[in-house]
């Protein structure tokens, strides 16, 4: 189960709104959605979580490029919403690099049922582009808002958004849209 919310910082504090990401296809679309929620070009945080698996924070400050943090890149990569956040740049890949093996390059020699001739990972084209089971992105994304890099990295996916909202003083407004 997914949950996504926008937290916009205003003169009067944080304003929360839940959001549907069904029409969002790219990170640029997500940033535009965040900007639309705050006409004053204030800081907007897009908080996304997949229950007990991963969470992500996208920070949009006015017209600046969005900043992204994802708690577990491999878990997020298996999610349609996570794939929005996992840009080539964030994963340290060349833009436009293939996401998986080129099917024309595969040697289908009867081992395609999950068997492997060499299960040692040393074969050519191995796991060099694998998505890590670790946080990726800007871990200092919330430093100026009172959540240090260390605190962000230690958050458990199960209650991360609540912990972030609490540290921001926005837990009540987040709960109203949850």
């Amino acid at each position: 189960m997914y949950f996504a919310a926008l937290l916009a910082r205003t003169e009067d504090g944080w304003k929360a709104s839940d959001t549907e990401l069904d029409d969002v296809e790219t990170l640029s679309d997500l940033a535009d959605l965040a900007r639309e929620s705050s006409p004053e070009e204030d800081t907007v945080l897009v908080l996304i979580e997949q229950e007990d698996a991963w969470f992500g924070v996208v920070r949009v400050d006015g017209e600046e490029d969005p900043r992204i943090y994802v708690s577990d890149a491999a878990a997020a990569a298996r999610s349609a919403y996570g794939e929005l956040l996992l840009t080539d740049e964030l994963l340290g890949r060349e833009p436009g690099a293939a996401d998986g093996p080129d099917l024309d390059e595969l040697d289908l020699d009867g081992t395609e049922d999950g068997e492997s001739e060499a299960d040692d990972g040393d074969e050519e084209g191995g796991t060099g582009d694998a998505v890590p089971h670790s946080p990726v992105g800007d871990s200092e994304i919330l430093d100026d808002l009172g959540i240090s890099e260390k605190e962000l990295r230690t958050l458990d996916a199960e209650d991360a958004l609540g912990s972030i909202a609490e540290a921001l003083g926005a837990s009540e407004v987040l709960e109203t849209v949850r």
Side-chain angles (χ1 to χ4, degrees):
M1 185 165 111
Y2 294 96
F3 173 73
L6 297 172
L7 279 180
R9 186 167 59 176
T10 67
E11 291 177 0
D12 301 325
W14 291 95
K15 178 181 89 178
S17 56
D18 62 340
T19 186
E20 283 295 321
L21 299 178
D22 294 339
D23 295 331
V24 176
E25 295 180 5
T26 65
L27 180 59
S28 182
D29 293 344
L30 186 61
D32 290 344
L33 180 69
R35 288 183 186 102
E36 290 170 10
S37 74
S38 179
E40 300 298 319
E41 294 192 7
D42 293 316
T43 297
V44 178
L45 301 176
V46 181
L47 305 174
I48 303 172
E49 71 179 359
Q50 181 182 5
E51 191 173 318
D52 300 337
W54 66 274
F55 71 92
V57 179
V58 178
R59 179 176 178 161
V60 178
D61 293 300
E63 291 300 317
E64 292 181 28
D65 288 340
R67 296 166 57 192
I68 305 164
Y69 176 82
V70 177
S71 67
D72 184 333
R78 294 186 297 269
S79 154
Y81 296 138
E83 287 181 346
L84 284 173
L85 308 180
L86 298 174
T87 63
D88 288 336
E89 181 181 338
L90 192 69
L91 294 173
R93 295 180 182 161
E94 285 293 319
D99 291 334
D102 182 358
L103 296 180
D104 293 333
E105 299 291 322
L106 291 179
D107 180 18
L108 300 177
D109 60 359
T111 59
E112 60 268 8
D113 292 332
E115 303 167 13
S116 169
E117 287 183 46
D119 245 1
D120 56 12
D122 290 337
E123 58 202 58
E124 190 176 326
T127 60
D129 284 340
V131 178
H133 277 284
S134 62
V136 295
D138 184 352
S139 56
E140 297 175 352
I141 192 170
L142 301 173
D143 272 358
D144 65 324
L145 299 175
I147 302 171
S148 71
E149 173 181 1
K150 182 180 178 183
E151 292 169 313
L152 186 61
R153 287 183 174 272
T154 60
L155 290 176
D156 186 339
E158 185 176 337
D159 62 350
L161 298 191
S163 297
I164 290 170
E166 185 176 321
L168 298 174
S171 55
E172 286 183 26
V173 293
L174 183 64
E175 283 305 312
T176 62
V177 297
R178 204 176 256 275

